[in-house]
Amino acid sequence: MSGSFITVALGMYAYFSGQNIPRGIYIPVLVFFVILACYLAWKDSQTELAKYENKEAHKRAFLIERLNQFISEYNQIDDGIIRVSLENSGRGMKRDAYYKRVKGFLEQHWGKEAVEEFGKRKTAFLEELLGKLMDESL
């Protein structure tokens, strides 16, 4: 925020004074603010990582967040088989996209057995996984 303020102030100075800001001043100021922005972004990411004691805690928090999201999305999708027609084709596509996302997520983090179990028990299985993650001690 302060970098843009100073850059605008330099531009306003040049406009109102009628003098050009030398490139030897203007370009290093811009480069400095780009470097500063990169540093601050890096520092924020390191601060976020420091909240977690280790990688396992970070991964567990990610998995808990994703499972919560999938469970809340499931409430908006009809679990039963629906005939795709012009009136409800959007629901069918939304449901198919949901299942593909969840199956891909489960396969990546828990394996094919979890995908098969999800096919049988739907959100009950997701809730069970969520409960296991929340009960695990670090």
Side-chain angles (χ1 to χ4, degrees):
M1 182 73 177
S2 61
S4 61
F5 176 75
I6 292 173
T7 304
V8 168
L10 284 173
M12 290 178 63
Y13 171 77
Y15 178 77
F16 289 117
S17 70
Q19 298 175 352
N20 288 335
I21 306 280
R23 286 186 181 164
I25 293 175
Y26 199 72
I27 291 175
V29 167
L30 292 177
V31 169
F32 170 75
F33 288 128
V34 168
I35 292 171
L36 181 64
C38 291
Y39 168 74
L40 292 175
W42 172 81
K43 184 179 172 189
D44 287 345
S45 70
Q46 295 302 309
T47 303
E48 184 68 26
L49 286 175
K51 289 180 184 177
Y52 301 103
E53 294 177 14
N54 56 29
K55 287 184 179 182
E56 190 62 35
H58 183 66
K59 180 179 179 183
R60 200 177 104 209
F62 166 76
L63 294 174
I64 288 172
E65 180 183 330
R66 289 292 288 172
L67 285 173
N68 273 324
Q69 179 185 5
F70 287 141
I71 291 168
S72 67
E73 284 178 8
Y74 186 80
N75 294 331
Q76 303 169 7
I77 297 172
D78 186 13
D79 187 34
I81 297 173
I82 59 172
R83 179 173 294 142
V84 176
S85 66
L86 291 176
E87 293 84 32
N88 64 8
S89 62
R91 277 190 357 188
M93 287 187 294
K94 185 176 179 182
R95 189 186 72 187
D96 289 344
Y98 169 80
Y99 283 123
K100 286 179 184 176
R101 284 177 42 229
V102 174
K103 287 179 180 181
F105 177 77
L106 290 175
E107 190 171 338
Q108 181 181 7
H109 295 287
W110 279 281
K112 292 189 184 283
E113 299 82 22
V115 173
E116 292 170 4
E117 195 65 30
F118 172 70
K120 296 174 189 172
R121 298 191 309 149
K122 310 290 187 247
T123 55
F125 178 68
L126 295 180
E127 290 169 351
E128 185 179 303
L129 282 179
L130 180 62
K132 286 179 184 177
L133 283 171
M134 295 179 111
D135 287 343
E136 289 177 0
S137 64
L138 295 175

